[in-house]
Amino acid sequence: MRHLLAFSILIITVLSCKDATKTELKEDKELKELFALMQGSFSSEIQSQVDSTYYNIVLHMYPIWEEKGNFLYVEQAQNTRPNSPYRQRIYEVKRLSDSTFSSAIYRLNTDSLWIGKWKNPKAFDSITLENIRIKEGCDVILKKVATKYFTGKTGDNTCVSNMNGASFARSEVEILEDKIISWDRGFDANGTYVWGAEKSGYIFNKLD
């Protein structure tokens, strides 16, 4: 009887481990898919040609610190001023739950030192998490809605911003196989729009 009980416990344990492994593999696969979709160089050139109210922006997103997790160095600049980016960030992509992911946003100390370093991601091995500062309340919370298609946004008024008279910023994002659509806007304390694209988000087509 003892042997039978021990055997039953062994079977249950093995089956439980298999189920846990399947779940873990599924989670890793989805997170890997999201992280891969976010990587590369992108451009809003096509959109700018169709609608002159949109600038021709280049966006570079490349993995760094690969042994530490899912981190990306992010750089954005007008196409005519590639060496003068207006945004440099580090994103950390991770799973929050069975159905949600987050992209936390960090500021770099001394942005100018990292201009163009998307071409050489190993350069970031010289710094650590202690050398960057998280932007509290600015995480983008993402959900998978289809194969190679994720959507997400920040909290409505959680991301503090003082740019151009704003009190907070709001971001909405769509991540697809061939493009990223990003709509960043700033609002004052009364919720009145003060900066950002008015009509809809920027469409960044993937270049590589």
Side-chain angles (χ1 to χ4, degrees):
M1 186 67 179
R2 289 180 180 177
H3 290 89
L4 181 59
L5 179 60
F7 181 73
S8 298
I9 292 173
L10 178 61
I11 293 296
I12 292 171
T13 301
V14 170
L15 290 175
S16 297
C17 288
K18 284 185 177 181
D19 290 341
T21 301
K22 286 180 180 178
T23 301
E24 186 177 327
L25 288 173
K26 180 182 178 183
E27 291 174 355
D28 288 345
K29 183 178 179 181
E30 290 183 339
L31 181 58
K32 183 178 180 180
E33 178 182 81
L34 170 60
F35 191 56
L37 290 173
M38 295 175 70
Q39 296 177 33
S41 291
F42 305 78
S43 170
S44 65
E45 182 178 8
I46 294 175
Q47 185 181 32
S48 70
Q49 292 172 343
V50 174
D51 187 338
S52 61
T53 63
Y54 290 85
Y55 294 101
N56 182 356
I57 304 295
V58 288
L59 166 64
H60 303 290
M61 304 176 72
Y62 287 90
I64 62 172
W65 299 336
E66 294 183 38
E67 73 286 353
K68 297 179 183 179
N70 299 307
F71 291 91
L72 296 164
Y73 169 61
V74 180
E75 186 173 298
Q76 282 181 255
Q78 291 191 33
N79 183 62
T80 55
R81 304 181 65 193
N83 297 319
S84 299
Y86 63 85
R87 180 175 295 164
Q88 293 171 264
R89 298 284 187 265
I90 287 178
Y91 291 176
E92 181 183 10
V93 185
K94 53 189 177 182
R95 179 181 285 278
L96 290 182
S97 70
D98 289 345
S99 60
T100 60
F101 306 83
S102 73
S103 177
I105 300 174
Y106 295 84
R107 291 181 182 274
L108 285 154
N109 293 329
T110 318
D111 285 346
S112 60
L113 294 177
W114 307 103
I115 294 174
K117 289 297 190 293
W118 56 271
K119 300 174 186 176
N120 180 29
K122 285 294 183 183
F124 289 90
D125 289 349
S126 64
I127 63 172
T128 67
L129 284 167
E130 285 69 38
N131 302 116
I132 60 179
R133 297 161 289 143
I134 194 166
K135 286 176 61 66
E136 297 286 354
C138 297
D139 297 27
V140 176
I141 308 303
L142 296 148
K143 289 188 176 184
K144 182 174 182 177
V145 294
T147 301
K148 295 186 178 180
Y149 182 24
F150 295 78
T151 65
K153 62 180 182 178
T154 58
D156 287 342
N157 57 4
T158 59
C159 186
V160 175
S161 172
N162 56 12
M163 187 171 74
N164 297 334
S167 292
F168 60 89
R170 187 179 300 159
S171 297
E172 299 175 40
V173 181
E174 293 180 68
I175 301 170
L176 300 94
E177 183 175 12
D178 60 345
K179 66 175 71 71
I180 290 177
I181 303 171
S182 178
W183 195 5
D184 298 331
R185 290 174 291 169
F187 300 85
D188 66 18
N190 296 317
T192 303
Y193 158 89
V194 292
W195 60 258
E198 293 188 52
K199 303 172 186 176
S200 61
Y202 269 80
I203 301 173
F204 292 100
N205 295 100
K206 198 162 193 173
L207 301 176
D208 59 12

